[in-house]
Amino acid sequence: MKRNLLILCALFASSACSTINPNTPATPPQADTATAAIVGTTAAQSETAAITEFITDNINRNATNTAPVEDALLVDEETPAEDPGNIWDRIRAGLAMPDIDNARIDQQLQWFVRNEDYLDRVAERAAPYMHFIVEILEHEKVPLEIALLPIVESAFQPFAYSHGRASGIWQFIPSTGKMYGLEQNWWYDGRRDIYASTYAAVKLLSALRDEFGGDWLLALAAYNSGSNNVRRAIRLNKRKGKPIDFFSLKLPNETRAYVPKLLALQKIVANPEKYKIDFDHIADEAFFERVDIDSQIDLALVAKLAEMDLDAIYLLNPGFNRWATSPHGPHHLLLPIENADTFKVNLANYPAEKRIQWVRHQVTSGESIKLIANQYQTTPDIIKAVNKLPSNKLRHKQSLMIPVSSQALATYKFSATQRLHDIQNTPQNDGVKITHTVRSGDTWWNIARRHRVGVKQLAKWNGQAPRDKLLPGQELVIWSRNNHTQVKAAVTPATFSQLDELVIPDERQVMQRIGYRVRRGDTLHRISQKFNVSVDQVKRWNKLSNKSRLRAGQRVTLYVDVTQTSNL
C-alpha cells in the first residue's frame, strides 16, 4: 500500500496545475446532521420512497450513455511475482516501428536529452497507468511505442486540456470522443476516464492504421491533425509525383513535430544508456483494479471505504467532474490493487441508500429548478427524477429532496469546480485580478481586446479553450496590467487587501461599498439579484457559511457597480 500511495502522491503533486474546462456553479449548502438523517424518518416517508426508488433504479443499470466495455480487451490480472520486472524493459521488447534517422527527429531527441528532469516528472505521472496501457496494446497487437504517446499528447497529466478543446491523457476532442463512445456531461467526461479513453484511443489508432494501409506514421499524423489533412497532403504529393511517406508530406507544423517527438522517445527507450537517460523503475504489474459499484456514490465516501486519500481517488478516476460519480454511470471505479478488497468489503456492509446524502429544500418565490440545481451542485434532471416532477415548474414553498455532498466542496480538490477555482486564483504576470461577468453578446475576442490581452491567454486563465462557448452569467478572470490606477481609485485602502475576492472594475464599472439592512423575507438569492452580484460574493464579503441564516435587521456589506443597479 505504501508503494501505491507514494506513486499517487507523486502524481498528485505533478498534476495540480493541469488545465480544465468546467463552468462554475454556486457552492451548495452542506447537509447538517438533521437533514442527513432525514431518510427513514416518519415525516419524510414519501420522500424516502422516492429516493429509494431512484437509487434502486440506478443499481445494476446498464449505462447506455457511457463508453462501451470491450469484453475481448478485458485483462485478467495474475498474482504478481516477487520480481515483476520493469515496464520499460517490456516496452523496449515490444518496439515495432522503424528506427528512422531524420533531422526533425534529432531536434526533438536533443530537447529530451537536455531535459531529463521533464522525462522524470512524466514517468512519475505515468506510473499508475502504464501497465494497463501496455496490456491493452499487446492484446491488440499495437506497437508498444504507442504507450509513449500520452507523453507527447499530455505529459500524462490526467486533467490536461488544450487550446484545441482536447482533454485527458489521450487528448480526445469532443466530437471524436463521442464518436468513440466517450460520454461528456456535467457529471462525467469519458475523455479523461483512464479506462474508457485508453480503449477508445487504441480503437481509433487501429482504425487509422487500417485506413492508411498499415503505415503507423501516417496513422499518428491523422490522430493529431485529422484524416482529412493527411489524405489531402497525400493527394497533393501524388499529383506532383512526390513520395507520400510522412516526412515528405506538407502537414501542419504541429503535426510535423508530433510524430518526430514520438520517434525520438522511441530511440531513448530503445537505448537509454546511449543518451544517458535513466528512467525510474516502474513495476510491470497491475496498479489498479476496476471495481463495480452499481450506483452513484459520493467520492469522499469512496475514499473512506477504501481507506485512501480523496485526491488519490480522483487521480485514478479523473473522468468524474463533481463530488460524486455520475448517477447515469459508469458505475465502476479504478482503485489500487491493495485497496480494492477493503473497499469491496466495506461497501457491501454499507447501506445503499446512504451512498449519497440528502437535504430537504423549500422553494422560495422566484427560484427556478436550474438555480436550485446550481446551488446544490447537481442537475435539474436529477432533481426532477428524485422528486418525480413532470416539468420544470415549481410552486412556492414546495418541498424538494436534493442529493448533496457529504463534505465541504473545497475538500473535493480535483472536482471541476475546485480545479477551476485554483486556476482562476493563480496570479499571472504580476497583473491585477479582474472578474468579468459574461453578458449576452460577449465573445472571447471582444473581452480580450477590451483588456488588451490575448484570446488564448484569456481562455487559459479560465481553464477553457477559445472555441468553448461563453454563457451569460459565467465569471471570467482577467489578469490585467492596465487597471492598477482604476482599481485603487474605485476600492478603498481598507478593502484593497480583499482584491482577490472582489469584482474589480473595468472601464464600465464604478464600484461602491454599501451596507444593506436585511428585510423580512430577504434571502441571499434575492439580495444578489437586487444588486446584480452573485450569492457566492455576498457570502465571501460577509464571511457567511453555507449554514448561515439571514435575520431581519442584520446588516450585510456589498460591493456593487452603481452603473448597473437602481437600488442604492
Side-chain angles (χ1 to χ4, degrees):
M1 183 178 295
K2 288 182 179 179
R3 178 183 65 84
N4 284 356
L5 291 178
L6 283 172
I7 294 175
L8 284 170
C9 286
L11 181 60
F12 162 70
S14 56
S15 299
C17 60
S18 299
T19 312
I20 43 105
N21 175 30
N23 292 320
T24 312
T27 304
Q30 302 303 313
D32 57 21
T33 304
T35 53
I38 198 168
V39 177
T41 62
T42 304
Q45 284 181 353
S46 60
E47 292 161 336
T48 302
I51 293 169
T52 304
E53 182 179 345
F54 176 76
I55 294 171
T56 303
D57 286 344
N58 271 314
I59 292 179
N60 296 323
R61 175 191 296 173
N62 289 323
T64 56
N65 292 329
T66 59
V69 175
E70 298 297 326
D71 292 337
L73 294 182
L74 292 177
V75 178
D76 292 324
E77 303 293 353
E78 298 178 356
T79 303
E82 288 186 10
D83 182 9
N86 190 340
I87 197 69
W88 298 111
D89 294 334
R90 186 173 176 183
I91 293 173
R92 189 173 301 115
L95 298 176
M97 293 184 189
D99 183 7
I100 300 172
D101 291 322
N102 183 277
R104 279 191 265 166
I105 299 174
D106 290 340
Q107 182 181 8
Q108 301 298 333
L109 182 61
Q110 292 308 313
W111 188 92
F112 285 125
V113 170
R114 290 195 305 269
N115 292 275
E116 184 177 0
D117 57 336
Y118 169 81
L119 292 177
D120 290 340
R121 292 194 301 273
V122 170
E124 281 185 343
R125 288 194 287 263
Y129 315 134
M130 192 64 89
H131 174 84
F132 170 72
I133 292 172
V134 169
E135 289 275 295
I136 303 308
L137 296 178
E138 283 190 344
H139 187 279
E140 289 299 289
K141 298 179 173 55
V142 171
L144 295 194
E145 283 92 340
I146 300 301
L148 310 174
L149 191 59
I151 300 178
V152 180
E153 286 285 356
S154 62
F156 269 102
Q157 295 191 68
F159 298 104
Y161 188 73
S162 78
H163 62 80
R165 303 182 71 204
S167 188
I169 65 171
W170 295 100
Q171 289 288 279
F172 275 94
I173 61 173
S175 57
T176 307
K178 290 177 182 177
M179 188 183 305
Y180 279 83
L182 301 178
E183 179 70 12
Q184 299 149 56
N185 55 53
W186 190 82
W187 290 97
Y188 167 81
D189 190 338
R191 297 177 299 161
R192 293 198 310 269
D193 184 319
I194 301 300
Y195 192 89
S197 68
T198 298
Y199 283 126
V202 171
K203 279 187 173 182
L204 173 55
L205 284 161
S206 298
L208 292 170
R209 171 202 60 197
D210 295 342
E211 179 179 350
F212 291 99
D215 190 319
W216 274 107
L217 302 193
L218 295 182
L220 288 164
Y223 187 89
N224 176 252
S225 64
S227 294
N228 289 338
N229 279 330
V230 177
R231 286 198 299 267
R232 189 180 303 115
I234 290 173
R235 288 195 299 268
L236 178 63
N237 274 24
K238 282 183 176 180
R239 285 198 300 267
K240 295 180 177 181
K242 294 182 177 180
I244 57 171
D245 63 284
F246 168 79
F247 289 97
S248 300
L249 298 179
K250 186 177 181 180
L251 294 165
N253 289 335
E254 179 184 330
T255 308
R256 287 171 60 83
Y258 177 86
V259 175
K261 284 179 184 178
L262 183 68
L263 296 178
L265 288 168
Q266 173 208 49
K267 288 179 178 289
I268 293 172
V269 171
N271 195 352
E273 295 83 6
K274 177 180 178 180
Y275 301 104
K276 299 180 180 179
I277 298 292
D278 184 19
F279 285 105
D280 286 343
H281 183 281
I282 298 177
D284 185 12
E285 61 182 352
F287 183 90
F288 57 74
E289 177 182 336
R290 192 176 75 118
V291 178
D292 292 332
I293 54 175
D294 300 327
S295 70
Q296 186 181 32
I297 188 170
D298 189 317
L299 291 172
L301 177 60
V302 171
K304 178 181 177 181
L305 298 180
E307 299 179 5
M308 290 176 60
D309 185 83
L310 178 56
D311 295 338
I313 298 293
Y314 273 108
L315 291 168
L316 281 179
N317 300 274
F320 294 116
N321 290 329
R322 307 296 166 182
W323 51 268
T325 63
S326 171
H328 307 300
H331 293 316
H332 62 255
L333 292 164
L334 302 184
L335 295 175
I337 293 286
E338 294 167 354
N339 299 83
D341 286 342
T342 298
F343 173 78
K344 286 185 282 190
V345 170
N346 288 336
L347 183 67
N349 294 320
Y350 200 86
E353 67 273 13
K354 292 185 178 180
R355 292 183 179 187
I356 299 290
Q357 293 195 10
W358 306 82
V359 296
R360 185 190 289 116
H361 176 90
Q362 189 173 74
V363 178
T364 59
S365 179
E367 283 189 320
S368 67
I369 193 168
K370 183 177 180 181
L371 181 68
I372 295 171
N374 286 344
Q375 183 181 357
Y376 288 99
Q377 279 273 286
T378 187
T379 59
D381 286 345
I382 297 303
I383 295 177
K384 288 167 66 177
V386 172
N387 295 278
K388 297 185 176 180
L389 301 178
S391 69
N392 290 336
K393 291 183 179 180
L394 300 175
R395 303 184 313 274
H396 180 56
K397 293 189 176 180
Q398 180 178 0
S399 182
L400 299 174
M401 292 305 297
I402 315 288
V404 296
S405 58
S406 61
Q407 305 293 322
L409 289 179
T411 305
Y412 303 80
K413 296 177 184 177
F414 282 103
S415 68
T417 303
Q418 291 306 121
R419 284 184 279 119
L420 177 58
H421 177 272
D422 290 345
I423 287 173
Q424 290 186 324
N425 286 278
T426 302
Q428 303 286 337
N429 301 329
D430 298 321
V432 173
K433 179 182 171 185
I434 299 170
T435 301
H436 174 85
T437 301
V438 176
R439 301 171 184 175
S440 180
D442 275 347
T443 65
W444 289 106
W445 182 82
N446 64 32
I447 297 171
R449 189 176 73 157
R450 185 182 309 143
H451 294 278
R452 300 178 185 177
V453 297
V455 172
K456 287 184 179 180
Q457 188 177 43
L458 174 62
K460 185 177 180 180
W461 289 336
N462 293 279
Q464 296 194 263
R467 286 189 290 166
D468 285 329
K469 185 178 180 181
L470 291 176
L471 302 174
Q474 180 181 350
E475 288 192 352
L476 299 179
V477 163
I478 302 152
W479 292 94
S480 174
R481 291 180 174 179
N482 305 313
N483 293 72
H484 289 77
T485 302
Q486 293 171 339
V487 169
K488 292 178 182 178
V491 184
T492 66
T495 61
F496 196 75
S497 63
Q498 304 177 45
L499 289 183
D500 61 326
E501 297 180 350
L502 301 180
V503 178
I504 308 283
D506 61 22
E507 63 271 22
R508 299 175 299 178
Q509 294 178 309
V510 179
M511 305 299 289
Q512 181 175 324
R513 176 178 178 171
I514 68 168
Y516 174 76
R517 190 177 298 278
V518 176
R519 301 169 185 174
R520 186 178 301 276
D522 272 345
T523 64
L524 288 174
H525 172 67
R526 283 187 182 179
I527 294 172
S528 69
Q529 294 291 93
K530 190 171 187 177
F531 293 98
N532 199 28
V533 295
S534 73
V535 171
D536 273 354
Q537 288 168 340
V538 177
K539 288 194 292 188
R540 287 201 303 270
W541 296 333
N542 295 277
K543 297 182 179 179
L544 299 175
S545 72
N546 291 325
K547 299 177 183 178
S548 298
R549 294 180 179 275
L550 296 180
R551 303 181 307 277
Q554 178 182 350
R555 292 189 68 83
V556 294
T557 298
L558 304 171
Y559 297 89
V560 301
D561 180 1
V562 298
T563 67
Q564 297 297 320
T565 182
S566 58
N567 295 295
L568 299 178

